[in-house]
């Protein structure tokens, strides 16, 4: 049974349709990514899942609970990290965690959590004096302090420097390894590629693709590009005759082969048979970025 | 209930940690009482104050400082800041309710007002011969209704203001009006009669406090107005209040 089940979710604000028709399921122990351009309806979708908003149509079930009807039970078991949610300036790290721990029936040990998140030497520091990365880690700690079975994390690493971002990713993987199901809203493709088992790409309030990151790339943007400099002159037809190859271009001494499937193997085999050595060979594969652009017609916002 | 207790504990700590809040709500009125009380002329009964001493006449206005600061300045600013910064929203995702935070802030306001009132009454009595409120019941009633009216107005500001800045923009003029009509800026005997009459009906109702403190029953109309303001502003605030 899926941990989260969203069926034909619909939500409007006045005349603006924020979520038109969104359906997906999340399995236990999965890291599930929700991707999409700004204003696509990602945040509204997860807010409905978290029970913070009432959908205008469709159904949401989390751990078999209805987020509205069983709100009290849901809040015990679902940890939420919201976008742009701060704390009072003078509140100290340990105070915040102790306070939030007191809300739950079976909380995690705040002191242990502080250490795990690398805030050990900041426990008596006021929120105002924390760096962006530390604030973010505290925010994640607050989402986890209730020992949730599901964690919903919105814009996890926005505003973090690359090192903090990588540290946060490692942390999220540890959380997942402890058995927590994670829903991750992000617009960083690198983050989704690194962390997510599956992603839903949402555009204009609808799910336009739902697959593993690698699956999305190979179905949506399957093209690969091979660049090399041949050691001897060669006829382009050697390559264009291959079924895997879609195009061959030359720029100066460099040959650029575009193709799909097992194109690399096909090209190198044919070169070897003809005793041509491919110098400076590089393979460029599509990334989730390319798939995203293909799907939404927009570049992921940075 | 457990969560509420923890929130109240932390919010009280934050209130005390923010140096300005206890200073302006409790220390300042008390310091003014002491300063005016130390002036010998301030302790002599005067005919223009209806045979009260100046300090006796002015004491309810000192209490107005606490009321105004706490209810229409600090309360709405804190609540609007918490909403703007997403503190209330984050709380809404936990088993604790943002309503518990609102309740904790109200308790802190009430406690501040109570502490300041007790200090002004006790220090006034012990150090400067200000008699204890002669109509304890009437005084309590006037204080409770005046406090309720101002807290309701403070909540109304917190309800209509979208940001902490706009809350302050609304709170400051209201705060100044309350202070002015409460006789804090200019003692009321120096004000023209019609302004004093307006002040009688302006929350928290400084005349009702003075009457009950010095031995006259507070005027039912004065008290009634406070009750009406409290109910009307409170009902509107609860209708308009948004958690995010």
């Amino acid at each position: 049974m899926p941990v989260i089940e969203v069926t034909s979710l619909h939500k409007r604000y006045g005349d603006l349709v924020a979520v038109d028709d969104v359906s997906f399921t999340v399995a236990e122990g999965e890291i599930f990514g929700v991707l999409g351009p700004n204003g696509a309806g990602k945040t509204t979708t997860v807010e409905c899942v978290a029970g913070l908003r009432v959908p205008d149509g469709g159904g949401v079930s989390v751990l078999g609970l209805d987020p509205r009807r069983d709100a009290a039970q849901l809040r015990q078991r679902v940890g939420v990290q919201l976008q742009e949610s701060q704390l009072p300036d003078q509140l100290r790290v340990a105070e915040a965690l102790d306070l939030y721990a007191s809300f739950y029936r079976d909380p995690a040990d705040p002191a242990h959590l502080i250490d795990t998140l690398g805030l050990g030497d900041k426990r008596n520091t006021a929120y105002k004096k924390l760096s962006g990365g530390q604030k973010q880690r505290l925010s994640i700690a607050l989402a986890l302090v209730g020992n949730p079975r599901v964690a919903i994390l919105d814009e996890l690493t926005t505003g973090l420097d690359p090192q903090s971002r990588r540290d946060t990713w490692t942390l999220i993987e540890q959380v997942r390894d402890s058995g927590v199901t994670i829903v991750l809203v992000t617009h960083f493709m690198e983050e989704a590629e690194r962390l997510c088992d599956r992603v839903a790409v949402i555009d204009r309030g609808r799910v336009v693709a739902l697959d593993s990151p690698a699956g999305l790339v190979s179905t949506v943007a399957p093209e690969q590009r091979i660049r090399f400099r041949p050691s001897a002159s060669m006829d382009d037809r050697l390559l264009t005759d291959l079924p895997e190859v879609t195009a061959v271009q030359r720029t100066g001494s460099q040959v650029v082969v575009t193709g799909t499937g097992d194109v690399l193997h096909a090209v190198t085999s044919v070169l070897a048979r003809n005793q041509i050595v491919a110098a400076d060979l590089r393979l460029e594969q599509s990334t989730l970025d390319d798939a995203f652009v293909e799907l939404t017609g927009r570049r992921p916002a940075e | 209930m457990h969560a509420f207790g923890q929130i109240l504990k932390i919010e009280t700590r934050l209130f005390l940690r923010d140096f300005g809040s206890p200073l302006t709500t409790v220390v300042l009125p008390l310091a003014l009482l002491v300063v005016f009380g130390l002036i010998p002329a301030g302790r002599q009964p005067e005919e223009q104050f209806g045979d009260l001493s100046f300090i006796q006449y002015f004491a309810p206005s000192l209490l107005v400082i606490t009321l105004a600061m706490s209810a229409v300045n600090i309360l709405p600013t804190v609540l609007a800041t918490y909403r703007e910064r997403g503190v209330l929203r984050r709380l809404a995702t936990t088993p604790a309710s943002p309503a518990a935070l609102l309740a904790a802030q109200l308790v802190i306001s009430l406690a501040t007002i109570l502490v300041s009132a007790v200090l002004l009454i006790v220090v006034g009595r012990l150090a400067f011969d200000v008699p204890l409120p002669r109509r304890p019941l009437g005084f309590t009633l006037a204080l409770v209704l005046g406090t309720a009216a101002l807290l309701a107005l403070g909540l109304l500001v917190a309800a209509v203001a979208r940001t902490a800045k706009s809350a302050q923009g609304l709170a400051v003029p209201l705060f100044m009006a309350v202070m002015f009509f409460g006789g804090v800026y200019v003692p009321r005997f120096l004000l023209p009669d019609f302004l004093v009459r307006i002040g009688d009906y302006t929350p928290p109702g400084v005349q009702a406090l003075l009457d009950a403190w010095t031995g006259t029953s507070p005027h039912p109309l004065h008290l009634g107005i406070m009750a009406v303001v409290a109910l009307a502003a409170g009902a509107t605030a609860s209708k308009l209040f948004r958690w995010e």
Side-chain angles (χ1 to χ4, degrees):
Chain A
M1 193 188 124
V3 169
I4 298 173
E5 203 164 4
V6 175
T7 356
S8 307
L9 187 69
H10 185 85
K11 175 75 188 173
R12 56 167 69 235
Y13 303 116
D15 286 340
L16 179 81
V17 177
V19 177
D20 193 8
D21 181 9
V22 166
S23 304
F24 59 84
T25 59
V26 181
E28 180 152 21
E30 212 177 7
I31 301 184
F32 185 82
V34 179
L35 311 185
N38 288 332
K42 304 179 299 255
T43 294
T44 303
T45 300
V46 294
E47 281 176 344
C48 289
V49 173
L52 292 170
R53 299 199 185 280
V54 192
D56 295 320
V60 177
S61 154
V62 180
L63 298 163
L65 302 167
D66 177 329
R68 299 306 296 184
R69 210 187 48 227
D70 313 313
Q73 282 189 68
L74 190 84
R75 281 176 193 152
Q76 284 286 348
R77 296 194 218 166
V78 177
V80 184
Q81 192 240 192
L82 296 166
Q83 213 178 334
E84 287 164 20
S85 190
Q86 303 176 51
L87 288 169
D89 278 341
Q90 296 300 332
L91 189 63
R92 293 171 189 160
V93 169
E95 282 174 342
L97 276 164
D98 287 341
L99 175 65
Y100 277 68
S102 77
F103 301 157
Y104 296 90
R105 274 196 297 269
D106 177 29
D109 175 15
H112 181 69
L113 201 53
I114 286 175
D115 287 333
T116 313
L117 282 141
L119 291 167
D121 54 342
K122 295 286 169 196
R123 63 180 70 238
N124 288 316
T125 304
Y127 181 76
K128 187 173 67 172
K129 300 226 168 112
L130 298 175
S131 71
Q134 290 160 348
K135 284 180 182 171
Q136 196 70 1
R137 273 180 279 157
L138 175 57
S139 190
I140 296 167
L142 292 179
L144 299 177
V145 76
N147 259 337
R149 289 197 44 209
V150 176
I152 298 173
L153 309 168
D154 195 354
E155 299 294 355
L156 182 67
T157 60
T158 302
L160 294 192
D161 59 74
Q163 185 56 49
S164 311
R165 187 171 293 160
R166 285 193 171 71
D167 292 346
T168 308
W169 291 346
T170 311
L171 174 77
I172 294 307
E173 284 168 337
Q174 287 166 6
V175 172
R176 187 263 304 275
D177 292 343
S178 72
V180 180
T181 304
I182 295 171
V183 176
L184 195 68
V185 179
T186 185
H187 60 255
F188 290 117
M189 296 305 127
E190 198 192 344
E191 180 166 295
E193 233 164 356
R194 156 82 190 265
L195 287 178
C196 296
D197 299 305
R198 287 189 310 136
V199 296
V201 180
I202 296 184
D203 191 26
R204 298 185 180 88
R206 287 170 173 271
V207 176
V208 292
L210 192 128
D211 204 338
S212 67
L216 266 190
V217 174
S218 64
T219 52
V220 178
E223 293 229 310
Q224 306 171 50
R225 203 170 285 148
I226 301 162
R227 293 172 189 275
F228 63 92
R229 278 189 294 105
S231 59
S233 68
M234 56 170 260
D235 190 343
D236 282 359
R237 265 179 303 175
L238 275 181
L239 301 174
T240 47
D241 285 349
L242 295 169
E244 290 90 349
V245 171
T246 47
V248 176
Q249 285 173 302
R250 282 178 184 264
T251 43
S253 62
Q254 202 178 45
V255 178
V256 182
V257 182
T258 316
T260 55
D262 218 354
V263 63
L264 180 64
H265 179 70
V267 168
T268 47
S269 306
V270 93
L271 291 177
R273 275 202 299 278
N274 291 276
Q275 276 102 42
I276 298 170
V277 176
D280 298 337
L281 181 124
R282 276 193 299 142
L283 175 67
E284 292 169 7
Q285 282 174 308
S286 300
T287 62
L288 199 52
D289 260 320
D290 302 311
F292 185 91
V293 173
E294 199 64 36
L295 283 165
T296 65
R298 277 171 275 183
R299 291 221 68 84
E302 276 297 323
Chain B
M1 205 54 213
H2 179 58
F4 172 71
Q6 294 297 317
I7 290 175
L8 180 59
K9 192 176 93 187
I10 291 287
E11 289 302 313
T12 306
R13 226 184 262 173
L14 292 175
F15 173 82
L16 296 173
R17 205 171 277 167
D18 173 23
F19 201 59
S21 302
L23 192 75
T24 48
T25 50
V26 177
V27 179
L28 177 68
L30 191 64
L32 288 174
L33 179 80
V34 172
V35 168
F36 289 122
L38 288 174
I39 303 169
R43 301 196 298 270
Q44 301 302 318
E46 296 264 354
E47 212 189 319
Q48 59 174 335
F49 306 135
D51 288 328
L52 302 173
S53 67
F54 171 74
I55 193 74
Q56 222 175 331
Y57 175 83
F58 196 56
S61 292
L62 294 173
L63 191 48
V64 170
I65 298 179
T66 303
L67 285 159
M69 257 305 170
S70 180
V72 294
N73 196 352
I74 296 175
L75 178 72
T77 309
V78 168
L79 289 177
T81 306
Y82 281 3
R83 181 175 49 219
E84 185 181 4
R85 306 188 68 182
V87 175
L88 299 178
R89 235 163 90 73
R90 190 199 294 273
L91 219 45
T93 70
T94 72
S97 158
L101 189 53
L102 180 84
Q105 285 299 326
L106 284 173
V107 169
I108 290 169
S109 281
L110 289 170
T112 309
I113 290 162
L114 188 65
V115 167
S116 180
V118 168
L119 279 174
L120 288 174
I121 290 167
V122 171
V123 173
R125 172 72 192 86
L126 295 180
F128 309 115
D129 287 331
V130 177
L132 298 178
R134 290 177 198 263
R135 302 265 175 169
L137 205 66
F139 184 79
T140 308
L141 195 61
L143 183 58
V144 166
L145 289 174
T147 301
L150 279 189
L151 285 175
L153 287 172
L155 289 175
L156 186 58
V157 169
V160 296
R162 288 189 171 279
T163 62
K165 253 204 181 106
S166 65
Q168 256 173 342
L170 288 169
V172 168
L174 181 61
F175 169 77
M176 291 179 67
V178 168
M179 295 276 275
F180 177 77
F181 288 112
V184 180
Y185 296 135
V186 183
R188 297 195 329 140
F189 70 92
L190 293 173
L191 294 176
D193 199 52
F194 79 99
L195 285 179
V196 175
R197 292 288 82 79
I198 294 175
D200 293 349
Y201 299 100
T202 307
V206 69
Q207 187 63 44
L209 288 169
L210 182 62
D211 285 345
W213 203 327
T214 55
T216 322
S217 281
H219 198 295
L221 187 59
H222 294 168
L223 294 181
I225 296 281
M226 297 314 136
V228 169
V229 171
L231 287 175
T236 316
S238 78
K239 226 183 196 129
L240 299 179
F241 199 88
R242 290 159 299 124
W243 297 110
E244 54 184 84

